[in-house]
Amino acid sequence: MYKALFKLIIAMIFQPSRTWKMLESRYYNDGKIEVEPRSYEMFLKHYLYPFIGILTLASFFSICTRQEFDLEIALKSSVVTFVSTYGGYHLAAYVLNEFWAGYCKRPKELMRFQLFVGFGSALLYALNIIWLLLPDFFFLYIFVLYTFYIVWEGTTLFLKIEEALHMKMTFVASLLILASPRLIEFLLTILMPGLQN
C-alpha cells in the first residue's frame, strides 16, 4: 500500500499530466465522472488516510528528535497537524464545490472535488513531511508554487473545465489547497493556546 502511495506521489510531482490522465480514466466513464462509493473508499483507505497518518507521525517524531523532548508537546503537535490537514482537505473541497455551484453555475459534485483536492495536495503533503522531519530544508518552500501547475493540469484533465473558467478555477483551487490547512492551524492555536508548541 505504501509503495503504491509513494509511486503515485512521485508520479504526481514529476508527471502531473500523465498522472491526472490515469486518475481520470480510473474515476471517469465515457466522459462523465462516476465516483462509486467503493472507489471513493479506496481513495480514502489507500491514499488520503495513509498520507495524513504519515504526516501526523512525522509531526510527533519531529518533536521527539529535539533535545528538550516533551511528550505533551509532541502529542499537541500531532493533534494540530492531523486536524489542520484533514480539516483543510475537507474545507478546501467543500468551498471549491460551493464555488463551482455558485460562481460557475454547475451542479454540486462534492466527491469529485474531494478527489481533486486530495490528489492536488500530493506535493504539499510530501513537502510537509520533509519539513517536519528535516526543518533545515526550509528552502524547499519555493516548491509549493509548483502546486499551481499540478492544479492547472488537474483542472484540464481531471475536472475537464472549459477554457473560460480554467484560470479562475486553477487560482481558487490552488489557493484553497495551500491556505486551508494553514487557516485551520492558525485558528486552532488562537482558540486553544495550549496547543502551541
Side-chain angles (χ1 to χ4, degrees):
M1 175 172 69
Y2 289 101
K3 187 177 180 182
L5 176 64
F6 182 73
K7 283 182 177 177
L8 180 60
I9 296 161
I10 296 298
M12 184 59 83
I13 293 169
F14 291 103
Q15 298 175 324
S17 355
R18 186 175 170 191
T19 308
W20 280 118
K21 282 179 191 171
M22 181 266 299
L23 293 169
E24 180 259 343
S25 67
R26 186 179 296 171
Y27 292 101
Y28 279 57
N29 187 11
D30 297 329
K32 278 180 77 180
I33 192 160
E34 292 181 2
V35 183
E36 297 175 5
R38 188 171 172 272
S39 299
Y40 182 68
E41 284 176 25
M42 296 295 280
F43 159 76
L44 294 175
K45 283 184 193 174
H46 297 289
Y47 178 80
L48 188 69
Y49 293 158
F51 230 146
I52 292 174
I54 292 168
L55 262 166
T56 304
L57 284 174
S59 178
F60 182 83
F61 287 121
S62 72
I63 304 297
C64 290
T65 57
R66 294 182 186 172
Q67 287 182 344
E68 68 282 351
F69 171 69
D70 183 355
L71 181 62
E72 183 183 350
I73 292 174
L75 290 172
K76 287 177 181 178
S77 177
S78 299
V79 167
V80 169
T81 299
F82 174 79
V83 173
S84 63
T85 305
Y86 192 64
Y89 156 76
H90 280 290
L91 178 64
Y94 177 78
V95 172
L96 198 55
N97 186 43
E98 291 300 317
F99 178 79
W100 179 247
Y103 183 79
C104 303
K105 308 292 187 224
R106 305 294 158 78
K108 292 183 180 182
E109 300 176 71
L110 185 58
M111 260 192 220
R112 180 184 188 190
F113 288 105
Q114 286 175 330
L115 291 168
F116 178 72
V117 168
F119 291 126
S121 300
L123 175 64
L124 183 64
Y125 294 160
L127 286 174
N128 281 337
I129 292 167
I130 293 169
W131 292 324
L132 286 166
L133 297 175
L134 303 166
D136 293 337
F137 283 52
F138 62 89
F139 58 88
L140 292 176
Y141 276 106
I142 190 72
F143 291 111
V144 166
L145 297 175
Y146 188 66
T147 299
F148 282 90
Y149 178 68
I150 292 172
V151 171
W152 172 270
E153 291 291 336
T155 53
T156 305
L157 302 168
F158 189 78
L159 293 181
K160 298 185 178 297
I161 290 174
E162 61 269 18
E163 195 65 36
L165 298 171
H166 193 219
M167 184 60 86
K168 286 177 186 150
M169 279 300 285
T170 299
F171 179 76
V172 170
S174 300
L175 192 64
L176 286 168
I177 286 171
L178 295 173
S180 295
R182 295 289 174 225
L183 175 66
I184 291 177
E185 183 179 350
F186 175 73
L187 290 174
L188 278 173
T189 54
I190 284 181
L191 296 173
M192 296 181 276
L195 288 178
Q196 293 177 354
N197 48 13

